[in-house]
């Protein structure tokens, strides 16, 4: 979740964590349901921060008040899918790199949860205001063919690494909140989209996933992700007109505070996207405050302006929002909802701007580290 209205949030300073589990045997792909055929509504959680939180000493408590591993808490709650981001070479943090992502996916799959892998194609946060090329690719930044090869080879290598560990994801995002043109030099890329270049680069990432899926015999749902439905309307129109069609899913970030679409109107946007482009639709980022109190020195991103009329900043309000959002998504023909960073609680670690978490009032754990009522969303309560 990145937004140009909160520029401080585009980079985060994190600390070291490592954890090893015995490699699980790779399941027979024939025994796994095809993610492009499944019709069940997907309820997911972005757990990209969990490994770091555990390294920072975070403890989590289930609804019964018992301390429990957060991966176990989400699995027991009924979470279908874990979303996890990957940066190319984040030398400012030991997290969200290949090793960290392998560990997250290993933990998720060991508990029976599917995975959505989110390629940022950057060394740092990629979002509507930032699509900065990895430093390692700067030498080919002006050569679309060579840059496309870098995208293809990197995407393929990561997926083959995961496959060798029995951890191939069921879904892959090629880019994160790619409202603007991807893979720009620092300080560039704020103007209009060069669609010929943009499509060429995105198609190379998409082709890499398709080729790995074909080679392994696995089914991988391919996703393109745009922040806010009003931006998806024009973005997918222009993308389609310029020949970008090799994907299965439209992924959306939906935060009412930054969207012109109300909760009730969202279904219309989703229906339009689904029927116009014949693609499946999932909201892959959302969140809602259970309180307006701040637990630490890191200021909260979601404040009173993030509240939707009829849903107060309470645990019951958080749960009611998620139920209402799912209803709106389903009414539009959408098929999934992923909560962004529900476990990014306050710890002794911090960001470049303060100790703690900028999301502590919008997690699915209260300030006592016990699950909120919002966690019940995953069970369909």
């Amino acid at each position: 979740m990145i937004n140009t209205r909160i520029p401080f949030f585009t980079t985060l300073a994190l600390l070291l964590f490592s954890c090893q589990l015995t490699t699980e045997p790779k399941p027979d792909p024939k025994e796994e349901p095809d993610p492009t055929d499944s019709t069940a509504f997907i309820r997911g959680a972005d757990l990209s921060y969990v490994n770091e939180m555990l390294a920072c000493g975070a403890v989590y408590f289930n609804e019964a008040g018992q301390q429990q591993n957060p991966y176990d808490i989400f699995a027991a709650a009924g979470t279908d899918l874990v979303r996890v981001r990957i940066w190319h070479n984040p030398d400012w943090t030991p997290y969200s790199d290949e090793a960290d992502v392998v560990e997250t996916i290993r933990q998720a799959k060991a508990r029976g949860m599917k995975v959505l892998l989110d390629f940022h194609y950057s060394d740092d946060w990629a979002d509507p205001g930032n699509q900065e090329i990895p430093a390692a690719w700067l030498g080919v930044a002006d050569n679309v063919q060579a840059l496309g090869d870098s995208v293809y080879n990197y995407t393929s290598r990561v997926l083959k690494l995961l496959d060798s560990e029995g951890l191939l994801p069921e879904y892959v995002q090629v880019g994160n909140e790619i409202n603007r043109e991807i893979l720009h030099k620092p300080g560039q890329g704020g103007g209009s989209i060069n669609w010929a270049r943009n499509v060429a680069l995105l198609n190379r990432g998409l082709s890499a996933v398709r080729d790995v899926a074909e080679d392994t015999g696995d089914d991988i749902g391919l996703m393109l992700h745009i922040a806010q439905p009003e931006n998806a309307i024009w973005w997918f129109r222009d993308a389609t007109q310029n020949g970008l069609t090799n994907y299965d899913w439209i992924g959306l970030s939906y935060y009412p505070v930054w969207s012109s679409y109300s909760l009730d109107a969202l279904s219309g946007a989703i229906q339009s996207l689904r029927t116009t482009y014949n693609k499946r639709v999932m909201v892959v980022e959302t969140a809602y405050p259970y309180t307006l109190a701040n637990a630490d020195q890191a200021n909260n991103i979601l404040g009173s302006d993030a509240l939707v009329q009829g849903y107060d900043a309470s645990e019951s309000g958080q749960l009611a929002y998620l139920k209402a959002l799912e209803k709106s998504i389903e009414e539009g023909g959408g098929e999934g909802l992923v909560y962004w960073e529900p476990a990014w609680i306050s710890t002794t670690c911090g960001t470049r701007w303060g100790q703690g978490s900028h999301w502590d009032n919008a997690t699915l754990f209260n300030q006592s580290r016990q699950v909120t009522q919002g966690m019940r969303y995953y069970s369909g309560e």
Side-chain angles (χ1 to χ4, degrees), residues 54 252 331 348 367:
L54 291 172
L252 300 175
E331 286 177 348
T348 56
Q367 292 184 3

Side-chain angles (χ1 to χ4, degrees), residues 135-148:
W137 298 352
L138 278 171
V140 295
D142 297 322
N143 185 326
V144 175
Q145 178 64 48
L147 185 56

Side-chain angles (χ1 to χ4, degrees), residues 351-373:
T351 71
R352 296 166 186 168
W353 302 272
Q355 175 269 320
S357 165
H358 298 290
W359 211 245
D360 58 72
N361 71 320
T363 59
L364 295 180
F365 296 87
N366 63 29
Q367 292 184 3
S368 297
R369 311 296 188 265
Q370 187 171 5
V371 297
T372 66
Q373 291 179 34

Side-chain angles (χ1 to χ4, degrees), residues 114-300:
K114 296 180 181 179
V115 172
L116 167 58
L117 180 60
D118 175 13
F119 281 95
H120 280 230
Y121 296 115
S122 182
D123 296 329
D124 212 318
W125 294 98
D127 60 43
N130 298 276
Q131 293 288 332
E132 191 168 301
I133 189 171
W137 298 352
L138 278 171
V140 295
D142 297 322
N143 185 326
V144 175
Q145 178 64 48
L147 185 56
D149 290 344
S150 297
V151 171
Y152 182 97
N153 293 334
Y154 165 66
T155 305
S156 179
R157 180 176 59 76
V158 169
L159 293 177
K160 288 177 179 178
L161 168 65
L162 292 171
D163 182 58
S164 72
E165 297 283 337
L167 301 174
L168 200 63
E170 286 80 8
Y171 307 85
V172 170
Q173 272 184 229
V174 174
N176 185 78
E177 294 189 327
I178 52 175
N179 300 37
R180 65 169 55 189
E181 191 174 337
I182 66 170
L183 293 168
H184 273 285
K185 295 178 183 177
Q188 297 183 9
S192 60
I193 295 175
N194 177 342
W195 278 106
R197 176 183 183 275
N198 207 37
V199 169
L201 296 175
L202 288 169
N203 270 334
R204 292 293 278 158
L206 293 166
S207 294
V209 183
R210 292 282 192 219
D211 289 347
V212 169
E214 182 177 355
D215 290 345
T216 62
D218 290 90
D219 296 297
I220 303 176
L222 268 172
M223 180 179 291
L224 296 176
H225 172 210
I226 298 296
Q228 311 308 339
E230 59 268 35
N231 295 319
I233 298 296
W234 64 260
W235 194 94
F236 283 99
R237 178 200 65 211
D238 292 356
T240 302
Q241 290 173 354
N242 284 277
L244 187 60
T245 60
N246 183 27
Y247 61 97
D248 309 305
W249 289 83
I250 291 174
L252 300 175
S253 294
Y254 178 67
Y255 299 94
V257 63
W258 298 308
S259 180
S260 62
Y261 277 83
S262 68
L263 198 55
D264 292 336
L266 177 63
S267 59
I270 289 176
Q271 183 178 33
S272 175
L273 290 166
R274 183 178 58 83
T275 58
T276 301
Y277 304 108
N278 194 28
K279 304 295 182 182
R280 304 175 76 176
V281 181
M282 186 187 307
V283 170
V284 294
E285 290 192 22
T286 195
Y288 202 79
Y290 70 86
T291 182
L292 296 179
N294 190 2
D296 49 41
Q297 299 175 19
N299 57 308
N300 293 337

